Amino acid sequence: MGGHHSHGHDHGHSHAPADFGRAFAIGVALNVIFVVVEATYGFLSGSMALVADAGHNLSDVLSLLLAWGASVLAKRKPSERFTYGLKSSTILAAMANAATLMVALGVILVETLRRFSDPQPVEGGTVMLVAGIGIVINTATALLFLRGRKDDLNIRGAFLHMAADALVSLGVVISGAMILLTGALWIDPVTSLIIVALIAWGTWGLAKDSLKMGLLGVPDNCDETAVRAYLTGLSGVDRVHDLHIWPMSTTETAFTAHLVMPEGHPGDAFLHEVAHELEHSHNIGHATIQIEQDCEDCVLEDEAKV
């Protein structure tokens, strides 16, 4: 029996999270200021749509803080107690972000429904001005996370939240304009409901992806069937069993498998080549492979056992 473990660092290719500390700091500062301004003018103008948008922006500030904290923890070195370090804190942060968004949705929805039965006058001009500022701030914040959105669930969450907020603010501007033109008070709560629906759609995607990672599901950028087919097709490999793929964090993927090779251990060069292929073709940076000449005595031969 033989084994091999690769962190993928020898290949000049790293899955470690990029440093977005400056982007988080700027994003948090901009949005805290805007939340205060937007909420204040929302209450003064009587716009529930503006208050709804401020509430969502506040939840985004909390989301940015959680994601920022998790990205810092993910860089902590491994210890005897946490041998993978604290990389999985990024998964916990993504799950917490989804939960905070759901709470914010509930609060906004209750107040919006109340406004249908008790409509309040709305200052359309104020709504348009404040929401217009929101478009600029949310777009600028979203652009800070543009380059990392494809590689990290936390960064993608930050980008999507801010990009969606820019669109929501645009909707609020349109709402204010329609109120000025028509004087119809129902437009404001209806716009708020649309905002809630948009936020709920984005929240569902974040919750689904983070829950999948929390349950150690195979990451979306890795195909278990393709990995198994690659290993089975290797020269000298008779069977593959006890194959597992799971996320260590929102950016790093781990893998283990037993390869049954009747002719015996093929040598370290074979293992290095496999690890290289798993990393560059299947996005697996932490591969552990065990070589067996037969699997009769392997208690993990049964795929139902883990």
Side-chain angles (χ1 to χ4, degrees):
M1 249 188 264
H4 175 75
H5 185 89
S6 170
H7 288 284
H9 302 308
D10 296 330
H11 311 299
H13 183 74
S14 174
H15 294 283
D19 187 0
F20 282 87
R22 187 166 178 267
F24 278 122
I26 295 173
V28 168
L30 286 175
N31 281 273
V32 165
I33 295 171
F34 182 61
V35 163
V36 174
V37 172
E38 188 174 33
T40 300
Y41 280 94
F43 283 114
L44 292 176
S45 65
S47 172
M48 193 55 219
L50 209 55
V51 174
D53 194 32
H56 179 49
N57 276 309
L58 178 59
S59 70
D60 279 341
V61 171
L62 297 176
S63 296
L64 288 173
L65 289 172
L66 283 168
W68 188 4
S71 68
V72 172
L73 290 176
K75 295 180 176 66
R76 295 279 287 271
K77 294 181 179 180
S79 65
E80 292 181 359
R81 186 174 181 82
F82 298 98
T83 57
Y84 273 137
L86 298 175
K87 297 178 184 295
S88 60
S89 60
T90 55
I91 299 175
L92 296 178
M95 296 175 71
N97 283 338
T100 57
L101 280 171
M102 291 178 183
V103 172
L105 280 176
V107 173
I108 295 170
L109 183 59
V110 169
E111 180 61 22
T112 299
L113 294 176
R114 187 185 69 79
R115 281 298 179 97
F116 274 108
S117 60
D118 182 23
Q120 301 291 324
V122 176
E123 297 179 13
T126 302
V127 171
M128 292 177 64
L129 176 61
V130 177
I133 297 173
I135 294 175
V136 175
I137 290 179
N138 289 322
T139 300
T141 306
L143 291 176
L144 294 173
F145 301 102
L146 181 66
R147 67 184 176 88
R149 71 192 191 282
K150 294 182 179 180
D151 303 317
D152 188 333
L153 183 63
N154 270 336
I155 302 302
R156 176 160 64 90
F159 171 80
L160 290 176
H161 280 310
M162 304 320 300
D165 282 349
L167 294 176
V168 168
S169 294
L170 177 61
V172 174
V173 169
I174 295 172
S175 169
M178 292 177 65
I179 291 173
L180 282 177
L181 291 173
T182 67
L185 297 180
W186 59 264
I187 293 175
D188 183 68
V190 167
T191 302
S192 186
L193 281 180
I194 295 173
I195 291 173
V196 167
L198 290 173
I199 298 171
W201 179 262
T203 301
W204 168 248
L206 180 62
K208 179 171 61 69
D209 291 344
S210 60
L211 183 60
K212 178 182 176 182
M213 281 192 163
L215 293 174
L216 304 184
V218 178
D220 291 337
N221 64 354
C222 184
D223 185 340
E224 190 270 352
T225 302
V227 171
R228 188 179 292 272
Y230 162 69
L231 294 173
T232 303
L234 291 172
S235 176
V237 175
D238 182 60
R239 291 182 59 188
V240 176
H241 64 269
D242 196 35
L243 188 154
H244 299 285
I245 304 171
W246 71 97
M248 293 173 54
S249 70
T250 52
T251 60
E252 298 175 81
T253 301
F255 159 91
T256 62
H258 292 196
L259 306 185
V260 180
M261 305 185 73
E263 299 301 319
H265 198 299
D268 288 347
F270 169 84
L271 294 174
H272 288 308
E273 181 181 347
V274 172
H276 182 277
E277 181 66 18
L278 288 173
E279 180 178 12
H280 289 79
S281 297
H282 301 282
N283 301 299
I284 295 172
H286 295 253
T288 301
I289 300 168
Q290 180 166 306
I291 305 297
E292 300 171 346
Q293 285 188 280
D294 63 68
C295 55
E296 292 182 1
D297 297 327
C298 181
V299 296
L300 297 175
E301 180 188 2
D302 185 354
E303 293 292 351
K305 293 182 179 180
V306 292

